[in-house]
C-alpha cells in the first residue's frame, strides 16, 4: 500500500525592507581608481527615496586637468509604495492617510497594503489596518486609511507596507500631532 501526499506550495513571504532615509542630497567623497584604459567605477549609497536623481561629478588630476559629467539616475523597485503624509495633524483631526502603490512589472500582482501607527516612546503598534488583496496591474493604485482619535499622542510613526507574493516595499515617517489651540 502506497499513499501519495500532496502538499500545496505556500509562497515564501518576501522580507520587507522599510525605507526611512529620505534625504534630498547624497554627498560623498569617493576614492577613485582608474583601470588601464582610464575608466573609473565607483559606488555609493543614495537615500531611499524612489525618485529621479541628478548626478553631478567633477574630477581633476594632479596637474589640474579638469573633467565634469552630469547624468540622471532613477531609483525604483518593481513594487513601490509612497506615503502621502501631511506635515502635521491636530489632535481633533480625523486625517485620511493615503499611499500610492506602483507596480512596474508586466504581471498582475495581488497586493496588500498595511498601515501601522507606532508609538515612538514604546515602539508598540497602536493601530494596524490591512487592506483586502487588490489585483494591481502595471501602473498605480491609491490606498487610503481614515484615522480616528489621535488626542493622546504628540508624535507617531507611520509605517506603510505594500506586499505581494514576489515583491514588497515599505516607508516609515514621523507624524507630529499638534494641540488644537
Amino acid at each position: 500500500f502506497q499513499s501519495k501526499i500532496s502538499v500545496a506550495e505556500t509562497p515564501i513571504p518576501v522580507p520587507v525592507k522599510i525605507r526611512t532615509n529620505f534625504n534630498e542630497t547624497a554627498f560623498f567623497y569617493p576614492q577613485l581608481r582608474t583601470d588601464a584604459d582610464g575608466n573609473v567605477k565607483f559606488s555609493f549609497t543614495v537615500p531611499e527615496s524612489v525618485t529621479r536623481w541628478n548626478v553631478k561629478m567633477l574630477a581633476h588630476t594632479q596637474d589640474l586637468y579638469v573633467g565634469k559629467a552630469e547624468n540622471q539616475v532613477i531609483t525604483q523597485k518593481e513594487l513601490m509604495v509612497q506615503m502621502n503624509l501631511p506635515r502635521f495633524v491636530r489632535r481633533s483631526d480625523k486625517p485620511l492617510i493615503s499611499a500610492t502603490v506602483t507596480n512596474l512589472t508586466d504581471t498582475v500582482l495581488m497586493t496588500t497594503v498595511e498601515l501601522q501607527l507606532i508609538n515612538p516612546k514604546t515602539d508598540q503598534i497602536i493601530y494596524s489596518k490591512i487592506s483586502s488583496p487588490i489585483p494591481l496591474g502595471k501602473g498605480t493604485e491609491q490606498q487610503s486609511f481614515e484615522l480616528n482619535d489621535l488626542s493622546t499622542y504628540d508624535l507617531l510613526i507611520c509605517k506603510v507596507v505594500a506586499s505581494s507574493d514576489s515583491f514588497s516595499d515599505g516607508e516609515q515617517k514621523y507624524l507630529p500631532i499638534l494641540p488644537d489651540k
Side-chain angles (χ1 to χ4, degrees):
F1 174 74
Q2 281 188 331
S3 68
K4 256 189 174 174
I5 300 173
S6 65
V7 178
E9 288 189 29
T10 308
I12 299 170
V14 178
V16 179
K17 167 72 171 83
I18 303 297
R19 296 179 288 111
T20 58
N21 178 2
F22 301 104
N23 292 340
E24 295 180 11
T25 303
F27 184 80
F28 64 102
Y29 287 113
Q31 295 294 321
L32 303 178
R33 301 284 184 235
T34 58
D35 62 13
D37 297 328
N39 297 316
V40 176
K41 285 188 178 180
F42 62 94
S43 65
F44 62 96
T45 303
V46 296
E48 297 169 328
S49 296
V50 285
T51 188
R52 182 183 317 259
W53 297 92
N54 293 319
V55 178
K56 298 180 181 189
M57 297 170 274
L58 176 66
H60 63 85
T61 63
Q62 289 179 341
D63 47 350
L64 299 180
Y65 286 101
V66 176
K68 69 177 184 174
E70 292 186 26
N71 207 340
Q72 284 194 337
V73 176
I74 298 174
T75 53
Q76 62 189 18
K77 298 174 81 175
E78 290 86 354
L79 179 66
M80 298 180 289
V81 63
Q82 291 180 289
M83 196 175 351
N84 302 321
L85 200 62
R87 283 191 358 224
F88 62 88
V89 295
R90 302 277 180 189
R91 286 194 175 145
S92 63
D93 288 349
K94 294 183 182 186
L96 189 67
I97 303 298
S98 62
T100 303
V101 184
T102 305
N103 176 6
L104 294 179
T105 68
D106 291 327
T107 59
V108 175
L109 300 175
M110 289 304 289
T111 307
T112 59
V113 180
E114 178 180 11
L115 171 68
Q116 290 181 353
L117 297 181
I118 302 166
N119 183 345
K121 294 178 184 175
T122 62
D123 281 335
Q124 289 186 334
I125 298 171
I126 60 168
Y127 175 84
S128 180
K129 174 94 181 204
I130 300 175
S131 72
S132 300
I134 53 170
L136 180 60
K138 188 169 189 167
T140 61
E141 181 81 28
Q142 195 79 11
Q143 187 71 44
S144 298
F145 301 93
E146 188 173 348
L147 303 180
N148 294 318
D149 193 22
L150 302 174
S151 62
T152 58
Y153 301 100
D154 296 323
L155 183 68
L156 290 174
I157 298 172
C158 290
K159 183 192 300 187
V160 173
V161 175
S163 57
S164 70
D165 289 343
S166 307
F167 305 105
S168 66
D169 187 32
E171 276 192 359
Q172 179 174 301
K173 297 179 179 177
Y174 286 97
L175 178 62
I177 300 170
L178 303 179
D180 289 332
K181 295 179 183 178

